[in-house]
Amino acid sequence: MLSSDNSNQERQSLHGNWSSRLAFIMAVTGSAVGLGNIWKFPYMAGQNGGGAFVLVYLLFVFLIGMPVMMSEILIGRRGRRNPVATMALLGEEEGGSKHWKWLGALGVITAMLILSYYSVIAGWTLTYIPKAISGQFTGADATLIADLFDDFVSNPAAVISAHTFFMFLNFFVISRGVKGLEVAVKFLMPALLFLLFVLLYYSLTSGSFSEGVSFMFTPNFAALSWDGVLTAMGLACFTLSIGMGAIMAYGAYLPQETSITNAAVSVVVADTGIAVLSGLVIFPLVFANGLNPGEGPDLVFKTLPLVFGQMQAGVFLATIFFVLLAFAALTSALGLMEPAVAWMVESTNYNRKKSSAIIASLIWFFGLGTALSDNLLSEFKFFQGTIYENVDFITSNIMLPMSAVFITIFAAWVMSKNSSSEELDGHGVVYKIWQLLARYFAPIAILVIFLQAIGWI
Ligand code: TRP
């Protein structure tokens, strides 16, 4: 798999290269598509009034997400090392300072914090598999489905067991290396997409499709606060997996002749498409069943089982759906854990197994805060709300956008034009647009939104 072609650079990744452009796109899409698209996007759009939030989210995906993703890939490919080492190397080469490595380190920590709650939600998904198999959704009405969920999350032992099991799965796969998973992703992603289309058919015939569509696409800016704008920006970074060096790590294995722009466009379109699709499935169901779109994190778990319960082959399809969602969560979770494990293996004398065990235990421990957010510690609120809401706010709305600012500054200001144009092949119009967005638009927009939301402007 190691590419022998290294046209303008001798640098090679230790771990070889992706076998094709498609392999890279599948891998990055596998990391990008996860709970963010199917669980987080709909509930956040619902909480923030729909249309205006969705519009702002889409703008951020293309105007901020895209240039940041291109910057991450180009930095990764230029350095061909893990994010911390790449930032140290390029920082010295291009900017005269090794301290850029702290940007890589910040990403590793952000990813661990995100995984701490991600694993709890993935645990919810896992427990919905046996619920689906045993036909608990069949014929149930909205109240019954809501009770099913509320009974589950109010039971700390059940939530913690599921979280523990999911972290154990992560440990099991990652301690062996993630190779085999790439193959699985190639089958699972299309299968998930297919199932979403089946669900779309049901929501089309739910009787409230147009109401759902108009909720999602009619912008009502009165319903969107600056906090909502900040949330949309955090979500754009989150679903695209940018702002934590994860994409940098993937870029390190990208063959030199592959177009970074084309790859980034494909990933962004696929990821956004799946988010919008899941909104189109969920909102019509919300309105058809008289539910509240602002329900919050439980939204998906209180709508989808309802429609499965009314379908012909509901038991079968619900089972497949939650299995696929759990897999999508697993492929993303591995992407969130790998940077920390890779860092530990490279900077201590612990082997992969021991490093994975230590990192997984740490993340598991942090995750207890989120696992207890809906039960024992539900009254324990500060700043943004529950523990989950705080961890999510700090990581998605502060750490990811801040890292994104520094990543674009590094790629577009610190790196020489020679280096960046070599990676983005050329001086054409695409390079100019990237440069404008990465130099000015992205960092300034992020800072302004950030300062607005915390009330400094
Ligand atoms: N994008 C993932 C999702 O939407 C979550 C995520 C954020 C991620 N950053 C990541 C996954 C880094 C892997 C690597 O669910």
Side-chain angles (χ1 to χ4, degrees), residues 341-407:
V341 172
W343 169 83
M344 188 167 258
V345 170
E346 285 168 36
S347 27
T348 62
N349 56 2
Y350 300 156
N351 61 21
R352 193 166 173 96
K353 196 161 185 184
K354 190 164 180 187
S355 304
S356 308
I358 295 172
I359 300 285
S361 312
L362 258 176
I363 295 172
W364 175 82
F365 180 74
F366 289 142
L368 293 180
T370 294
L372 299 177
S373 280
D374 290 304
N375 37 68
L376 295 183
L377 299 179
S378 62
E379 297 304 315
F380 180 63
K381 291 202 169 119
F382 57 105
F383 185 48
Q384 291 294 318
T386 60
I387 298 179
Y388 157 67
E389 283 161 329
N390 278 290
V391 179
D392 181 40
F393 183 87
I394 292 167
T395 50
S396 298
N397 296 4
I398 300 178
M399 291 163 90
L400 294 185
M402 284 304 123
S403 302
V405 169
F406 285 106
I407 287 168

Side-chain angles (χ1 to χ4, degrees), residues 111-353:
M112 286 175 69
L113 286 175
I114 288 182
L115 185 51
S116 78
Y117 73 74
Y118 204 88
S119 165
V120 175
I121 314 299
W124 293 2
T125 309
L126 285 177
T127 40
Y128 267 63
I129 298 173
K131 285 194 187 358
I133 296 177
S134 57
Q136 293 188 37
F137 312 143
T138 313
D141 62 5
T143 326
L144 212 76
I145 294 286
D147 287 347
L148 205 63
F149 180 83
D150 294 334
D151 287 347
F152 163 60
V153 291
S154 59
N155 178 352
V159 179
I160 292 177
S161 314
H163 162 56
T164 309
F165 183 66
F166 186 78
M167 273 321 293
F168 183 78
L169 268 181
N170 260 297
F171 159 74
F172 184 80
V173 177
I174 216 147
S175 61
R176 269 147 239 261
V178 291
K179 287 273 150 50
L181 244 117
E182 301 300 347
V183 184
V185 169
K186 287 192 190 182
F187 295 101
L188 295 168
M189 285 300 141
L192 186 65
L193 190 66
F194 175 76
L195 226 71
L196 277 175
F197 275 109
V198 173
L199 290 173
L200 183 66
Y201 170 78
Y202 275 84
S203 88
L204 263 169
T205 54
S206 69
S208 299
F209 193 72
S210 60
E211 208 180 329
V213 171
S214 89
F215 177 77
M216 256 183 93
F217 296 111
T218 313
N220 165 18
F221 283 96
L224 189 64
S225 61
W226 276 106
D227 224 22
V229 176
L230 179 66
T231 302
M233 188 169 73
L235 180 65
C237 294
F238 182 91
T239 55
L240 294 174
S241 304
I242 54 175
M244 59 179 77
I247 303 291
M248 234 181 250
Y250 286 116
Y253 316 138
L254 190 64
Q256 197 63 41
E257 64 278 8
T258 305
S259 158
I260 289 179
T261 313
N262 289 349
V265 171
S266 313
V267 173
V268 169
V269 168
D271 186 66
T272 316
I274 292 191
V276 170
L277 190 59
S278 85
L280 284 176
V281 169
I282 284 152
F283 289 115
L285 299 177
V286 167
F287 295 111
N289 292 286
L291 299 166
N292 166 20
E295 176 74 38
D298 0 354
L299 184 68
V300 171
F301 293 89
K302 289 184 175 170
T303 48
L304 291 185
L306 249 180
V307 60
F308 284 126
Q310 291 155 18
M311 284 159 86
Q312 283 282 319
V315 171
F316 176 70
L317 290 174
T319 308
I320 310 249
F321 178 80
F322 284 108
V323 168
L324 286 173
L325 189 56
F327 262 106
L330 184 66
T331 55
S332 296
L334 295 168
L336 287 164
M337 191 159 146
E338 175 67 20
V341 172
W343 169 83
M344 188 167 258
V345 170
E346 285 168 36
S347 27
T348 62
N349 56 2
Y350 300 156
N351 61 21
R352 193 166 173 96
K353 196 161 185 184

